[in-house]
Each structure stands twice: as structure tokens, then as C-alpha cells.
mmCIF file of all heavy atoms in Angstrom:
data_model
loop_
_atom_site.group_PDB
_atom_site.id
_atom_site.type_symbol
_atom_site.label_atom_id
_atom_site.label_comp_id
_atom_site.label_asym_id
_atom_site.label_seq_id
_atom_site.Cartn_x
_atom_site.Cartn_y
_atom_site.Cartn_z
ATOM 1 N N MET A 213 216.278 91.564 148.344
ATOM 2 C CA MET A 213 215.072 91.809 149.098
ATOM 3 C C MET A 213 213.836 91.691 148.150
ATOM 4 O O MET A 213 213.846 92.252 147.103
ATOM 5 C CB MET A 213 215.165 93.234 149.700
ATOM 6 C CG MET A 213 213.981 93.566 150.556
ATOM 7 S SD MET A 213 214.188 94.978 151.596
ATOM 8 C CE MET A 213 214.468 96.272 150.456
ATOM 9 N N THR A 214 212.857 90.944 148.665
ATOM 10 C CA THR A 214 211.612 90.746 147.841
ATOM 11 C C THR A 214 210.439 91.182 148.699
ATOM 12 O O THR A 214 210.387 90.935 149.881
ATOM 13 C CB THR A 214 211.516 89.220 147.541
ATOM 14 O OG1 THR A 214 212.692 88.777 146.872
ATOM 15 C CG2 THR A 214 210.336 88.978 146.582
ATOM 16 N N THR A 215 209.486 91.816 148.008
ATOM 17 C CA THR A 215 208.263 92.276 148.659
ATOM 18 C C THR A 215 207.064 91.629 148.074
ATOM 19 O O THR A 215 206.914 91.520 146.844
ATOM 20 C CB THR A 215 208.155 93.813 148.493
ATOM 21 O OG1 THR A 215 209.347 94.464 149.003
ATOM 22 C CG2 THR A 215 206.972 94.363 149.244
ATOM 23 N N CYS A 216 206.106 91.208 148.890
ATOM 24 C CA CYS A 216 204.864 90.675 148.458
ATOM 25 C C CYS A 216 203.981 91.770 147.882
ATOM 26 O O CYS A 216 203.790 92.760 148.511
ATOM 27 C CB CYS A 216 204.113 89.939 149.586
ATOM 28 S SG CYS A 216 202.507 89.275 149.113
ATOM 29 N N ASP A 217 203.499 91.589 146.666
ATOM 30 C CA ASP A 217 202.693 92.573 146.033
ATOM 31 C C ASP A 217 201.264 92.630 146.548
ATOM 32 O O ASP A 217 200.515 93.535 146.205
ATOM 33 C CB ASP A 217 202.639 92.402 144.539
ATOM 34 C CG ASP A 217 203.965 92.773 143.850
ATOM 35 O OD1 ASP A 217 204.598 93.746 144.259
ATOM 36 O OD2 ASP A 217 204.403 92.020 142.979
ATOM 37 N N PHE A 218 200.880 91.730 147.385
ATOM 38 C CA PHE A 218 199.536 91.670 147.963
ATOM 39 C C PHE A 218 199.470 92.263 149.363
ATOM 40 O O PHE A 218 198.710 93.170 149.623
ATOM 41 C CB PHE A 218 198.946 90.276 147.917
ATOM 42 C CG PHE A 218 197.485 90.223 148.180
ATOM 43 C CD1 PHE A 218 196.594 90.557 147.161
ATOM 44 C CD2 PHE A 218 196.984 89.777 149.398
ATOM 45 C CE1 PHE A 218 195.197 90.552 147.439
ATOM 46 C CE2 PHE A 218 195.622 89.751 149.662
ATOM 47 C CZ PHE A 218 194.727 90.097 148.670
ATOM 48 N N CYS A 219 200.339 91.694 150.251
ATOM 49 C CA CYS A 219 200.258 92.162 151.647
ATOM 50 C C CYS A 219 201.393 93.056 152.064
ATOM 51 O O CYS A 219 201.346 93.727 153.123
ATOM 52 C CB CYS A 219 200.247 90.951 152.581
ATOM 53 S SG CYS A 219 201.776 90.015 152.662
ATOM 54 N N GLY A 220 202.450 93.162 151.192
ATOM 55 C CA GLY A 220 203.500 94.065 151.509
ATOM 56 C C GLY A 220 204.631 93.469 152.367
ATOM 57 O O GLY A 220 205.563 94.176 152.758
ATOM 58 N N ARG A 221 204.535 92.220 152.658
ATOM 59 C CA ARG A 221 205.582 91.526 153.458
ATOM 60 C C ARG A 221 206.949 91.626 152.744
ATOM 61 O O ARG A 221 206.993 91.430 151.559
ATOM 62 C CB ARG A 221 205.227 90.053 153.652
ATOM 63 C CG ARG A 221 206.202 89.254 154.382
ATOM 64 C CD ARG A 221 205.717 87.882 154.587
ATOM 65 N NE ARG A 221 206.787 86.936 154.814
ATOM 66 C CZ ARG A 221 206.663 85.603 154.785
ATOM 67 N NH1 ARG A 221 205.497 85.051 154.537
ATOM 68 N NH2 ARG A 221 207.688 84.811 155.025
ATOM 69 N N VAL A 222 207.978 91.925 153.498
ATOM 70 C CA VAL A 222 209.345 92.075 152.951
ATOM 71 C C VAL A 222 210.176 90.942 153.476
ATOM 72 O O VAL A 222 210.208 90.653 154.689
ATOM 73 C CB VAL A 222 209.917 93.421 153.343
ATOM 74 C CG1 VAL A 222 211.356 93.541 152.823
ATOM 75 C CG2 VAL A 222 209.103 94.558 152.861
ATOM 76 N N GLU A 223 210.904 90.280 152.580
ATOM 77 C CA GLU A 223 211.809 89.194 152.968
ATOM 78 C C GLU A 223 213.190 89.506 152.398
ATOM 79 O O GLU A 223 213.343 89.710 151.198
ATOM 80 C CB GLU A 223 211.290 87.900 152.377
ATOM 81 C CG GLU A 223 212.035 86.670 152.837
ATOM 82 C CD GLU A 223 211.965 86.440 154.316
ATOM 83 O OE1 GLU A 223 210.810 86.330 154.837
ATOM 84 O OE2 GLU A 223 213.008 86.305 154.985
ATOM 85 N N GLU A 224 214.156 89.498 153.279
ATOM 86 C CA GLU A 224 215.503 89.829 152.829
ATOM 87 C C GLU A 224 216.320 88.593 152.465
ATOM 88 O O GLU A 224 217.230 88.643 151.643
ATOM 89 C CB GLU A 224 216.269 90.628 153.932
ATOM 90 C CG GLU A 224 215.636 92.020 154.169
ATOM 91 C CD GLU A 224 216.398 92.823 155.135
ATOM 92 O OE1 GLU A 224 217.560 92.525 155.419
ATOM 93 O OE2 GLU A 224 215.800 93.806 155.607
ATOM 94 N N ASP A 225 215.943 87.442 153.032
ATOM 95 C CA ASP A 225 216.642 86.180 152.772
ATOM 96 C C ASP A 225 216.124 85.563 151.473
ATOM 97 O O ASP A 225 214.938 85.152 151.424
ATOM 98 C CB ASP A 225 216.482 85.281 153.985
ATOM 99 C CG ASP A 225 217.216 83.946 153.795
ATOM 100 O OD1 ASP A 225 218.193 83.921 153.022
ATOM 101 O OD2 ASP A 225 216.771 82.946 154.391
ATOM 102 N N GLU A 226 216.886 85.506 150.475
ATOM 103 C CA GLU A 226 216.443 84.940 149.180
ATOM 104 C C GLU A 226 216.039 83.474 149.281
ATOM 105 O O GLU A 226 215.183 83.030 148.559
ATOM 106 C CB GLU A 226 217.554 85.097 148.124
ATOM 107 C CG GLU A 226 217.791 86.530 147.707
ATOM 108 C CD GLU A 226 216.547 87.144 147.056
ATOM 109 O OE1 GLU A 226 215.893 86.477 146.217
ATOM 110 O OE2 GLU A 226 216.268 88.310 147.359
ATOM 111 N N ALA A 227 216.659 82.699 150.182
ATOM 112 C CA ALA A 227 216.274 81.304 150.334
ATOM 113 C C ALA A 227 214.874 81.162 150.853
ATOM 114 O O ALA A 227 214.165 80.222 150.521
ATOM 115 C CB ALA A 227 217.299 80.591 151.258
ATOM 116 N N SER A 228 214.396 82.075 151.668
ATOM 117 C CA SER A 228 213.027 82.033 152.159
ATOM 118 C C SER A 228 211.999 82.310 151.116
ATOM 119 O O SER A 228 210.843 81.947 151.228
ATOM 120 C CB SER A 228 212.862 83.057 153.308
ATOM 121 O OG SER A 228 213.735 82.736 154.374
ATOM 122 N N THR A 229 212.415 82.934 150.014
ATOM 123 C CA THR A 229 211.385 83.219 148.924
ATOM 124 C C THR A 229 211.221 82.138 147.966
ATOM 125 O O THR A 229 210.474 82.294 147.005
ATOM 126 C CB THR A 229 211.806 84.539 148.213
ATOM 127 O OG1 THR A 229 213.087 84.338 147.631
ATOM 128 C CG2 THR A 229 211.863 85.729 149.164
ATOM 129 N N LEU A 230 211.855 81.004 148.203
ATOM 130 C CA LEU A 230 211.704 79.875 147.277
ATOM 131 C C LEU A 230 210.215 79.325 147.249
ATOM 132 O O LEU A 230 209.829 78.706 146.295
ATOM 133 C CB LEU A 230 212.647 78.720 147.626
ATOM 134 C CG LEU A 230 214.145 79.064 147.385
ATOM 135 C CD1 LEU A 230 215.007 77.915 147.864
ATOM 136 C CD2 LEU A 230 214.401 79.287 145.899
ATOM 137 N N THR A 231 209.502 79.558 148.327
ATOM 138 C CA THR A 231 208.134 79.114 148.387
ATOM 139 C C THR A 231 207.157 80.143 147.948
ATOM 140 O O THR A 231 205.934 79.951 148.009
ATOM 141 C CB THR A 231 207.746 78.681 149.814
ATOM 142 O OG1 THR A 231 207.992 79.783 150.707
ATOM 143 C CG2 THR A 231 208.602 77.510 150.289
ATOM 144 N N TRP A 232 207.606 81.293 147.523
ATOM 145 C CA TRP A 232 206.732 82.385 147.014
ATOM 146 C C TRP A 232 206.268 82.115 145.598
ATOM 147 O O TRP A 232 206.865 81.298 144.885
ATOM 148 C CB TRP A 232 207.489 83.697 147.066
ATOM 149 C CG TRP A 232 207.672 84.240 148.513
ATOM 150 C CD1 TRP A 232 207.827 83.473 149.622
ATOM 151 C CD2 TRP A 232 207.721 85.603 148.882
ATOM 152 N NE1 TRP A 232 208.054 84.324 150.700
ATOM 153 C CE2 TRP A 232 207.942 85.632 150.274
ATOM 154 C CE3 TRP A 232 207.634 86.791 148.203
ATOM 155 C CZ2 TRP A 232 208.006 86.829 150.988
ATOM 156 C CZ3 TRP A 232 207.750 87.982 148.919
ATOM 157 C CH2 TRP A 232 207.926 87.970 150.287
ATOM 158 N N THR A 233 205.183 82.777 145.148
ATOM 159 C CA THR A 233 204.656 82.573 143.875
ATOM 160 C C THR A 233 204.884 83.811 143.008
ATOM 161 O O THR A 233 204.809 84.955 143.496
ATOM 162 C CB THR A 233 203.146 82.351 144.000
ATOM 163 O OG1 THR A 233 202.895 81.262 144.879
ATOM 164 C CG2 THR A 233 202.532 82.007 142.663
ATOM 165 N N VAL A 234 205.174 83.584 141.731
ATOM 166 C CA VAL A 234 205.346 84.686 140.790
ATOM 167 C C VAL A 234 204.257 84.547 139.668
ATOM 168 O O VAL A 234 203.988 83.462 139.177
ATOM 169 C CB VAL A 234 206.716 84.647 140.127
ATOM 170 C CG1 VAL A 234 206.856 85.728 139.119
ATOM 171 C CG2 VAL A 234 207.777 84.792 141.222
ATOM 172 N N ALA A 235 203.604 85.661 139.371
ATOM 173 C CA ALA A 235 202.597 85.662 138.307
ATOM 174 C C ALA A 235 202.795 86.874 137.411
ATOM 175 O O ALA A 235 203.404 87.843 137.856
ATOM 176 C CB ALA A 235 201.182 85.706 138.967
ATOM 177 N N VAL A 236 202.214 86.808 136.221
ATOM 178 C CA VAL A 236 202.301 87.937 135.310
ATOM 179 C C VAL A 236 200.834 88.410 135.133
ATOM 180 O O VAL A 236 200.006 87.653 134.665
ATOM 181 C CB VAL A 236 202.941 87.562 133.943
ATOM 182 C CG1 VAL A 236 202.880 88.731 133.048
ATOM 183 C CG2 VAL A 236 204.367 87.093 134.152
ATOM 184 N N GLU A 237 200.551 89.618 135.486
ATOM 185 C CA GLU A 237 199.258 90.220 135.312
ATOM 186 C C GLU A 237 199.354 91.452 134.477
ATOM 187 O O GLU A 237 200.056 92.414 134.845
ATOM 188 C CB GLU A 237 198.646 90.580 136.686
ATOM 189 C CG GLU A 237 198.367 89.415 137.574
ATOM 190 C CD GLU A 237 197.832 89.805 138.970
ATOM 191 O OE1 GLU A 237 197.639 91.041 139.156
ATOM 192 O OE2 GLU A 237 197.664 88.901 139.773
ATOM 193 N N ARG A 238 198.660 91.481 133.346
ATOM 194 C CA ARG A 238 198.671 92.592 132.458
ATOM 195 C C ARG A 238 200.097 93.065 132.066
ATOM 196 O O ARG A 238 200.419 94.216 132.031
ATOM 197 C CB ARG A 238 197.932 93.813 133.049
ATOM 198 C CG ARG A 238 196.509 93.489 133.321
ATOM 199 C CD ARG A 238 195.752 94.654 133.904
ATOM 200 N NE ARG A 238 194.435 94.230 134.227
ATOM 201 C CZ ARG A 238 193.655 94.937 135.034
ATOM 202 N NH1 ARG A 238 194.034 96.059 135.528
ATOM 203 N NH2 ARG A 238 192.444 94.470 135.323
ATOM 204 N N GLY A 239 200.960 92.056 131.871
ATOM 205 C CA GLY A 239 202.324 92.312 131.490
ATOM 206 C C GLY A 239 203.245 92.695 132.563
ATOM 207 O O GLY A 239 204.453 92.897 132.346
ATOM 208 N N ARG A 240 202.770 92.762 133.833
ATOM 209 C CA ARG A 240 203.644 93.104 134.957
ATOM 210 C C ARG A 240 203.879 91.820 135.799
ATOM 211 O O ARG A 240 202.988 91.050 136.049
ATOM 212 C CB ARG A 240 202.917 94.117 135.895
ATOM 213 C CG ARG A 240 202.942 95.491 135.416
ATOM 214 C CD ARG A 240 202.429 96.503 136.423
ATOM 215 N NE ARG A 240 202.811 96.142 137.764
ATOM 216 C CZ ARG A 240 202.083 96.504 138.807
ATOM 217 N NH1 ARG A 240 200.954 97.110 138.726
ATOM 218 N NH2 ARG A 240 202.491 96.122 140.051
ATOM 219 N N ARG A 241 205.115 91.710 136.275
ATOM 220 C CA ARG A 241 205.484 90.581 137.122
ATOM 221 C C ARG A 241 205.050 90.902 138.507
ATOM 222 O O ARG A 241 205.371 91.959 139.092
ATOM 223 C CB ARG A 241 206.983 90.367 137.081
ATOM 224 C CG ARG A 241 207.387 89.159 137.857
ATOM 225 C CD ARG A 241 208.857 88.908 137.800
ATOM 226 N NE ARG A 241 209.194 87.844 138.691
ATOM 227 C CZ ARG A 241 210.402 87.528 139.044
ATOM 228 N NH1 ARG A 241 211.401 88.184 138.569
ATOM 229 N NH2 ARG A 241 210.616 86.499 139.850
ATOM 230 N N ARG A 242 204.308 89.998 139.161
ATOM 231 C CA ARG A 242 203.777 90.177 140.537
ATOM 232 C C ARG A 242 204.337 89.005 141.365
ATOM 233 O O ARG A 242 204.382 87.880 140.935
ATOM 234 C CB ARG A 242 202.278 90.125 140.561
ATOM 235 C CG ARG A 242 201.599 91.104 139.624
ATOM 236 C CD ARG A 242 201.439 92.395 140.147
ATOM 237 N NE ARG A 242 200.874 92.396 141.521
ATOM 238 C CZ ARG A 242 199.868 93.108 141.950
ATOM 239 N NH1 ARG A 242 199.299 93.936 141.157
ATOM 240 N NH2 ARG A 242 199.432 92.971 143.174
ATOM 241 N N THR A 243 204.740 89.340 142.596
ATOM 242 C CA THR A 243 205.284 88.324 143.510
ATOM 243 C C THR A 243 204.422 88.270 144.775
ATOM 244 O O THR A 243 204.067 89.310 145.349
ATOM 245 C CB THR A 243 206.730 88.738 143.906
ATOM 246 O OG1 THR A 243 207.505 88.932 142.714
ATOM 247 C CG2 THR A 243 207.396 87.637 144.764
ATOM 248 N N PHE A 244 204.096 87.061 145.179
ATOM 249 C CA PHE A 244 203.221 86.866 146.332
ATOM 250 C C PHE A 244 203.890 85.915 147.372
ATOM 251 O O PHE A 244 204.469 84.897 146.996
ATOM 252 C CB PHE A 244 201.859 86.254 145.946
ATOM 253 C CG PHE A 244 201.180 87.063 144.853
ATOM 254 C CD1 PHE A 244 201.154 86.704 143.574
ATOM 255 C CD2 PHE A 244 200.612 88.302 145.222
ATOM 256 C CE1 PHE A 244 200.501 87.398 142.597
ATOM 257 C CE2 PHE A 244 199.995 89.042 144.233
ATOM 258 C CZ PHE A 244 199.939 88.620 142.917
ATOM 259 N N CYS A 245 203.859 86.287 148.645
ATOM 260 C CA CYS A 245 204.453 85.488 149.687
ATOM 261 C C CYS A 245 203.693 84.125 149.867
ATOM 262 O O CYS A 245 202.648 83.938 149.292
ATOM 263 C CB CYS A 245 204.476 86.264 151.028
ATOM 264 S SG CYS A 245 202.810 86.508 151.760
ATOM 265 N N ASP A 246 204.324 83.243 150.608
ATOM 266 C CA ASP A 246 203.744 81.928 150.738
ATOM 267 C C ASP A 246 202.388 81.971 151.411
ATOM 268 O O ASP A 246 201.510 81.204 151.090
ATOM 269 C CB ASP A 246 204.703 80.949 151.495
ATOM 270 C CG ASP A 246 205.236 81.565 152.742
ATOM 271 O OD1 ASP A 246 204.987 82.727 153.046
ATOM 272 O OD2 ASP A 246 205.930 80.841 153.488
ATOM 273 N N THR A 247 202.182 82.843 152.378
ATOM 274 C CA THR A 247 200.899 82.944 153.079
ATOM 275 C C THR A 247 199.809 83.441 152.133
ATOM 276 O O THR A 247 198.745 82.845 152.065
ATOM 277 C CB THR A 247 201.041 83.967 154.275
ATOM 278 O OG1 THR A 247 202.059 83.522 155.105
ATOM 279 C CG2 THR A 247 199.702 84.059 155.040
ATOM 280 N N CYS A 248 200.054 84.489 151.370
ATOM 281 C CA CYS A 248 199.094 84.980 150.417
ATOM 282 C C CYS A 248 198.825 83.962 149.313
ATOM 283 O O CYS A 248 197.696 83.779 148.847
ATOM 284 C CB CYS A 248 199.565 86.287 149.816
ATOM 285 S SG CYS A 248 199.497 87.676 150.954
ATOM 286 N N SER A 249 199.904 83.251 148.901
ATOM 287 C CA SER A 249 199.763 82.255 147.892
ATOM 288 C C SER A 249 198.819 81.115 148.344
ATOM 289 O O SER A 249 197.987 80.648 147.564
ATOM 290 C CB SER A 249 201.088 81.621 147.521
ATOM 291 O OG SER A 249 201.961 82.636 146.973
ATOM 292 N N ARG A 250 198.923 80.659 149.571
ATOM 293 C CA ARG A 250 198.086 79.629 150.106
ATOM 294 C C ARG A 250 196.626 80.108 150.228
ATOM 295 O O ARG A 250 195.690 79.364 149.914
ATOM 296 C CB ARG A 250 198.613 79.123 151.447
ATOM 297 C CG ARG A 250 199.701 78.233 151.366
ATOM 298 C CD ARG A 250 200.088 77.599 152.724
ATOM 299 N NE ARG A 250 201.484 77.247 152.754
ATOM 300 C CZ ARG A 250 202.417 77.875 153.417
ATOM 301 N NH1 ARG A 250 202.085 78.862 154.186
ATOM 302 N NH2 ARG A 250 203.654 77.495 153.378
ATOM 303 N N GLU A 251 196.434 81.344 150.738
ATOM 304 C CA GLU A 251 195.084 81.850 150.943
ATOM 305 C C GLU A 251 194.335 82.007 149.615
ATOM 306 O O GLU A 251 193.116 81.868 149.554
ATOM 307 C CB GLU A 251 195.132 83.203 151.640
ATOM 308 C CG GLU A 251 195.505 83.113 153.074
ATOM 309 C CD GLU A 251 195.498 84.442 153.784
ATOM 310 O OE1 GLU A 251 194.824 85.367 153.269
ATOM 311 O OE2 GLU A 251 196.220 84.597 154.753
ATOM 312 N N HIS A 252 195.032 82.376 148.572
ATOM 313 C CA HIS A 252 194.369 82.727 147.270
ATOM 314 C C HIS A 252 194.719 81.769 146.174
ATOM 315 O O HIS A 252 194.632 82.105 144.972
ATOM 316 C CB HIS A 252 194.794 84.183 146.940
ATOM 317 C CG HIS A 252 194.422 85.158 147.955
ATOM 318 N ND1 HIS A 252 193.184 85.510 148.323
ATOM 319 C CD2 HIS A 252 195.257 85.820 148.833
ATOM 320 C CE1 HIS A 252 193.187 86.400 149.278
ATOM 321 N NE2 HIS A 252 194.482 86.590 149.606
ATOM 322 N N LEU A 253 195.079 80.530 146.502
ATOM 323 C CA LEU A 253 195.450 79.553 145.513
ATOM 324 C C LEU A 253 194.428 79.323 144.428
ATOM 325 O O LEU A 253 194.681 79.271 143.289
ATOM 326 C CB LEU A 253 195.791 78.222 146.235
ATOM 327 C CG LEU A 253 196.243 77.098 145.266
ATOM 328 C CD1 LEU A 253 197.546 77.450 144.572
ATOM 329 C CD2 LEU A 253 196.426 75.803 146.062
ATOM 330 N N ARG A 254 193.140 79.157 144.832
ATOM 331 C CA ARG A 254 192.067 78.881 143.880
ATOM 332 C C ARG A 254 191.916 80.036 142.861
ATOM 333 O O ARG A 254 191.725 79.845 141.707
ATOM 334 C CB ARG A 254 190.763 78.662 144.587
ATOM 335 C CG ARG A 254 190.752 77.445 145.480
ATOM 336 C CD ARG A 254 190.629 76.190 144.619
ATOM 337 N NE ARG A 254 190.522 75.043 145.490
ATOM 338 C CZ ARG A 254 190.964 73.850 145.186
ATOM 339 N NH1 ARG A 254 191.532 73.667 144.001
ATOM 340 N NH2 ARG A 254 190.857 72.866 146.033
ATOM 341 N N SER A 255 192.049 81.265 143.396
ATOM 342 C CA SER A 255 191.929 82.422 142.520
ATOM 343 C C SER A 255 193.135 82.454 141.553
ATOM 344 O O SER A 255 192.932 82.844 140.369
ATOM 345 C CB SER A 255 191.889 83.729 143.325
ATOM 346 O OG SER A 255 190.782 83.729 144.149
ATOM 347 N N MET A 256 194.286 82.108 142.031
ATOM 348 C CA MET A 256 195.468 82.061 141.142
ATOM 349 C C MET A 256 195.275 80.978 140.030
ATOM 350 O O MET A 256 195.601 81.267 138.901
ATOM 351 C CB MET A 256 196.720 81.758 141.946
ATOM 352 C CG MET A 256 197.194 82.907 142.806
ATOM 353 S SD MET A 256 198.611 82.340 143.707
ATOM 354 C CE MET A 256 199.090 83.873 144.411
ATOM 355 N N GLU A 257 194.798 79.843 140.469
ATOM 356 C CA GLU A 257 194.592 78.742 139.468
ATOM 357 C C GLU A 257 193.555 79.158 138.441
ATOM 358 O O GLU A 257 193.622 78.746 137.304
ATOM 359 C CB GLU A 257 194.158 77.481 140.225
ATOM 360 C CG GLU A 257 195.264 76.834 140.953
ATOM 361 C CD GLU A 257 194.803 75.608 141.738
ATOM 362 O OE1 GLU A 257 193.571 75.477 141.981
ATOM 363 O OE2 GLU A 257 195.683 74.814 142.124
ATOM 364 N N GLY A 258 192.542 79.928 138.873
ATOM 365 C CA GLY A 258 191.502 80.408 137.987
ATOM 366 C C GLY A 258 191.967 81.604 137.120
ATOM 367 O O GLY A 258 191.171 82.140 136.371
ATOM 368 N N LYS A 259 193.207 82.017 137.323
ATOM 369 C CA LYS A 259 193.834 83.096 136.562
ATOM 370 C C LYS A 259 193.072 84.428 136.779
ATOM 371 O O LYS A 259 193.032 85.278 135.832
ATOM 372 C CB LYS A 259 193.951 82.751 135.072
ATOM 373 C CG LYS A 259 194.720 81.484 134.834
ATOM 374 C CD LYS A 259 195.422 81.539 133.522
ATOM 375 C CE LYS A 259 196.112 80.211 133.233
ATOM 376 N NZ LYS A 259 197.429 80.170 133.793
ATOM 377 N N LEU A 260 192.573 84.678 137.949
ATOM 378 C CA LEU A 260 191.937 85.945 138.270
ATOM 379 C C LEU A 260 193.060 86.920 138.672
ATOM 380 O O LEU A 260 194.017 86.565 139.335
ATOM 381 C CB LEU A 260 191.014 85.817 139.481
ATOM 382 C CG LEU A 260 189.751 84.960 139.243
ATOM 383 C CD1 LEU A 260 188.972 84.801 140.558
ATOM 384 C CD2 LEU A 260 188.880 85.528 138.183
ATOM 385 N N ASP A 261 192.897 88.181 138.257
ATOM 386 C CA ASP A 261 193.895 89.180 138.654
ATOM 387 C C ASP A 261 193.778 89.388 140.155
ATOM 388 O O ASP A 261 192.692 89.214 140.783
ATOM 389 C CB ASP A 261 193.554 90.508 137.988
ATOM 390 C CG ASP A 261 193.977 90.525 136.509
ATOM 391 O OD1 ASP A 261 194.758 89.664 136.134
ATOM 392 O OD2 ASP A 261 193.503 91.432 135.794
ATOM 393 N N SER A 262 194.876 89.779 140.796
ATOM 394 C CA SER A 262 194.886 89.907 142.268
ATOM 395 C C SER A 262 193.932 90.994 142.771
ATOM 396 O O SER A 262 193.549 90.920 143.955
ATOM 397 C CB SER A 262 196.313 90.194 142.761
ATOM 398 O OG SER A 262 196.848 91.338 142.131
ATOM 399 N N GLU A 263 193.551 91.923 141.968
ATOM 400 C CA GLU A 263 192.583 92.933 142.389
ATOM 401 C C GLU A 263 191.189 92.333 142.673
ATOM 402 O O GLU A 263 190.414 92.916 143.394
ATOM 403 C CB GLU A 263 192.489 94.056 141.359
ATOM 404 C CG GLU A 263 191.932 93.669 140.048
ATOM 405 C CD GLU A 263 191.985 94.716 139.011
ATOM 406 O OE1 GLU A 263 192.996 95.390 138.980
ATOM 407 O OE2 GLU A 263 191.071 94.804 138.226
ATOM 408 N N TRP A 264 190.893 91.138 142.163
ATOM 409 C CA TRP A 264 189.629 90.480 142.386
ATOM 410 C C TRP A 264 189.634 89.565 143.647
ATOM 411 O O TRP A 264 188.624 89.046 143.992
ATOM 412 C CB TRP A 264 189.273 89.649 141.177
ATOM 413 C CG TRP A 264 188.949 90.447 140.030
ATOM 414 C CD1 TRP A 264 189.807 90.768 138.972
ATOM 415 C CD2 TRP A 264 187.750 91.159 139.718
ATOM 416 N NE1 TRP A 264 189.173 91.588 138.082
ATOM 417 C CE2 TRP A 264 187.903 91.826 138.522
ATOM 418 C CE3 TRP A 264 186.539 91.280 140.377
ATOM 419 C CZ2 TRP A 264 186.943 92.625 137.974
ATOM 420 C CZ3 TRP A 264 185.541 92.053 139.843
ATOM 421 C CH2 TRP A 264 185.741 92.713 138.632
ATOM 422 N N TRP A 265 190.791 89.392 144.268
ATOM 423 C CA TRP A 265 190.800 88.480 145.427
ATOM 424 C C TRP A 265 190.182 89.200 146.571
ATOM 425 O O TRP A 265 189.994 88.992 147.621
ATOM 426 C CB TRP A 265 192.216 88.053 145.802
ATOM 427 C CG TRP A 265 193.015 87.439 144.681
ATOM 428 C CD1 TRP A 265 192.538 87.001 143.460
ATOM 429 C CD2 TRP A 265 194.409 87.167 144.674
ATOM 430 N NE1 TRP A 265 193.615 86.519 142.709
ATOM 431 C CE2 TRP A 265 194.781 86.613 143.441
ATOM 432 C CE3 TRP A 265 195.414 87.408 145.570
ATOM 433 C CZ2 TRP A 265 195.991 86.244 143.108
ATOM 434 C CZ3 TRP A 265 196.668 87.029 145.233
ATOM 435 C CH2 TRP A 265 197.004 86.429 144.020
#
């Protein structure tokens, strides 16, 4: 089971999480669902912490 660290979406099927994004912020691993990843792609590419989105 994987949970999106931005919106809280929970996915139990591991195959569905293949489109999710993983980032490391301040030494912590953060996981974001495909919807949040698409919405905040530019911020992710700019290496902004998720608290700034």
C-alpha cells in the first residue's frame, strides 16, 4: 500500500503506482501520485520542496 505525501491518496495495487513520482526532500523519501505529479511537474523539475507548491 502506497500513500501520496501531497494529497493523501492511497493505492493498494503496486502496479498502479508505477506512474507515481518519488523525490527526496531534506533526506526524507516522498511519494506523489500521478495526478499530483502532473499538476506540480514544473515545481518538481525546479527542485522546489513540496511545501512551496
Side-chain angles (χ1 to χ4, degrees):
M213 181 165 62
T214 306
T215 304
C216 177
D217 288 320
F218 192 76
C219 70
R221 177 178 159 191
V222 177
E223 187 64 54
E224 294 185 17
D225 181 26
E226 289 298 318
S228 298
T229 61
L230 291 175
T231 58
W232 288 32
T233 306
V234 176
V236 177
E237 295 178 3
R238 298 181 187 165
R240 282 188 38 208
R241 183 178 175 192
R242 307 277 310 229
T243 306
F244 304 106
C245 68
D246 52 352
T247 303
C248 290
S249 297
R250 281 189 206 108
E251 285 182 26
H252 304 288
L253 179 64
R254 297 283 184 210
S255 298
M256 288 178 172
E257 288 176 342
K259 302 208 185 275
L260 295 174
D261 286 343
S262 57
E263 64 188 41
W264 292 99
W265 306 349

